[in-house]
Amino acid sequence: MFFELGLALAALHFGVPLGYYAVAKRWLRKDWGIKEDGGYRPKISVIIPTYNEAEHIAQRLENVAQSYPRDKLEVVVVDGASTDGTAEIAEKWAEKAGVDVKVVREERREGKAKSLNRALGLATGEVVVIADADALWAPDALRRAVAKLADPSVGAVSCVKRPIGGPGIEEGYRGFYNALRVAESKAWSTPIFHGELAAFKREALEAVGGFPTDIGADDSHTATLIALRGLRAIVADDVLCVETVPEEGYHAWRIRRAQHLIQHFAKAVPLLRKAPRPFRAVLAAEAYLHLVNPWMFAGAVAALTVSAAAGSWPALAALALGVALLAYKPYKTWATAQAYLMAAAVKNLRTKE
Ligand code: GDD
Ligand code: MN
């Protein structure tokens, strides 16, 4: 009984994502259906939220300044009361930059989303771009993102990410998820965005009321709300950014990000009904994969363990296979991600961080 249950849960746990991946691979071959305009040059406001980014901020400002014509570019650094001199470095940089840079200093740290909304109130661009301080853009990333925003059907554009630093597992994980984000975007829209580069049409951003302050994944949730209102939110494969993966506290970082995504999907599920057709399937699949599917894995392990304890050799063999497969990297990467999602769900019960 428990043996069959264990197998059924395992089949569900691995079958659904494999099936989704097969569908996504077909989407990857689709055309974008977007009319790009490489000459579109709207005024852009780049918002850089910072908390203790002294190590990164100067290089990041340089990187942003080189990404777009300076007369069309406005940068707002919004600092959440850093204690390492981030704001001072940004101010100094602003003095001699020849770029319009405002540095907003908050009196205390109130979280990234609140800072983004404050900066949004000051931003005058037609396009508003979030740029995490601990990331970098490829030189053409912003221009390529903007070219897509020229299409009236597109409301928001984000990047594919290349990880720098951290354990090697991060790279395997990234390649897979980048492909998935692009596939979903080609299908119509993706519900997962990246704070390293998240470009929004200002009007679309205002229509959804700015950035939500009650959940962590402000970028993803905002993009999803925009898609729910009928404009595409896409991760484009030619828009590349580099993210810094922390060497220290890697597990805690992965769990925190998983917490954010869980909060985002939990909030998005009740809105599923309103989703435009092609987006509904994507949003439902991703919500299932983040909220439910990891627990199928846990359930399978539990059922097989009960069965093995009762003397079932096939159950023991299935468990042994599950452990042995950890030597196979994609499987290990997958299993690790499930563990992070479960740890994050549990942690979400106590803290929202
Ligand atoms: N003003 C302000 N106030 N900025 C903050 C605060 C704050 O309280 N906390 C963090 N920041 C800044 C950081 O300095 C950085 O520039 C940016 O916000 C993102 O913070 P990280 O600490 O680097 O977050 P992360 O890398 O774990 O997560 C990022 O990526 C996720 C997935 O793409 C964030 O952008 C998440 O919002 C995003 O969901
Ligand atoms: Mn970061």
Side-chain angles (χ1 to χ4, degrees):
M1 216 324 249
F2 278 106
F3 176 63
E4 283 79 13
L5 177 65
L7 285 192
L9 290 174
L12 203 59
H13 173 80
F14 292 105
V16 173
L18 282 173
Y20 186 54
Y21 192 58
V23 173
K25 271 191 157 162
R26 280 217 308 275
W27 287 339
L28 262 186
R29 290 199 295 268
K30 279 180 71 152
D31 284 333
W32 280 99
I34 290 171
K35 210 160 163 271
E36 289 189 34
D37 178 358
Y40 177 50
R41 288 282 175 272
K43 177 163 184 204
I44 293 192
S45 301
V46 174
I47 302 177
I48 308 181
T50 57
Y51 179 71
N52 287 352
E53 300 283 5
E55 191 189 327
H56 298 119
I57 188 63
Q59 189 191 12
R60 184 55 157 140
L61 282 164
E62 199 64 50
N63 175 240
V64 167
Q66 283 168 14
S67 64
Y68 204 69
R70 295 189 169 198
D71 58 323
K72 293 281 181 72
L73 179 67
E74 165 188 80
V75 181
V76 182
V77 175
V78 53
D79 184 68
S82 292
T83 54
D84 67 348
T86 300
E88 289 79 1
I89 297 172
E91 277 164 358
K92 245 196 218 128
W93 193 91
E95 274 168 27
K96 50 184 178 181
V99 186
D100 177 6
V101 183
K102 294 181 187 60
V103 180
V104 181
R105 287 167 174 253
E106 297 181 311
E107 275 172 24
R108 54 204 170 83
R109 185 181 187 190
E110 286 185 284
K112 178 184 168 189
K114 277 206 177 141
S115 300
L116 294 182
N117 285 329
R118 181 163 288 138
L120 185 58
L122 302 170
T124 62
E126 240 175 281
V127 169
V128 174
V129 186
I130 308 308
D132 284 355
D134 61 338
L136 289 170
W137 296 340
D140 59 353
L142 182 59
R143 271 166 290 156
R144 287 183 185 270
V146 167
K148 293 171 215 312
L149 284 174
D151 187 306
S153 73
V154 179
V157 181
S158 191
C159 60
V160 291
K161 301 205 271 193
R162 184 187 303 150
I164 295 255
I169 196 169
E170 188 64 23
E171 275 165 50
Y173 163 84
R174 258 305 138 213
F176 173 74
Y177 285 97
N178 277 337
L180 210 49
R181 297 292 87 82
V182 171
E184 293 168 341
S185 302
K186 284 188 169 187
W188 195 68
S189 288
T190 180
I192 299 186
F193 255 44
H194 306 305
E196 289 78 10
L197 188 165
F200 301 96
K201 277 184 182 153
R202 187 204 182 80
E203 268 178 33
L205 204 48
E206 281 171 357
V208 300
F211 298 93
T213 53
D214 56 339
I215 56 167
D218 39 73
D219 29 43
S220 294
H221 202 68
T222 305
T224 299
L225 292 178
I226 287 173
L228 287 170
R229 290 180 61 96
L231 288 182
R232 289 178 72 175
I234 60 170
V235 161
D237 47 2
D238 60 347
V239 177
L240 176 74
C241 48
V242 172
E243 73 169 333
T244 321
V245 178
E247 303 280 347
E248 237 172 90
Y250 174 76
H251 295 301
W253 178 75
R254 282 288 301 273
I255 291 172
R256 191 164 54 87
R257 286 191 160 193
Q259 277 183 271
H260 292 172
L261 287 175
I262 289 170
Q263 293 162 15
H264 157 50
F265 284 113
K267 217 178 161 192
V269 164
L271 308 173
L272 261 174
R273 283 179 303 115
K274 295 191 203 154
R277 261 278 163 231
F279 187 51
R280 194 179 301 170
V282 168
L283 186 55
E286 288 294 351
Y288 169 81
L289 290 174
H290 284 84
L291 301 176
V292 182
N293 201 47
W295 300 99
M296 299 293 163
F297 186 71
V301 172
L304 289 173
T305 304
V306 170
S307 177
S312 159
W313 287 104
L316 195 62
L319 283 172
L321 177 69
V323 174
L325 275 174
L326 287 173
Y328 175 56
K329 211 172 158 204
Y331 175 84
K332 186 180 173 193
T333 307
W334 176 261
T336 316
Q338 306 311 303
Y340 287 130
L341 281 167
M342 285 187 274
V346 171
K347 225 175 153 202
N348 263 342
L349 297 174
R350 279 186 291 133
T351 151
K352 283 255 165 139
E353 219 260 12

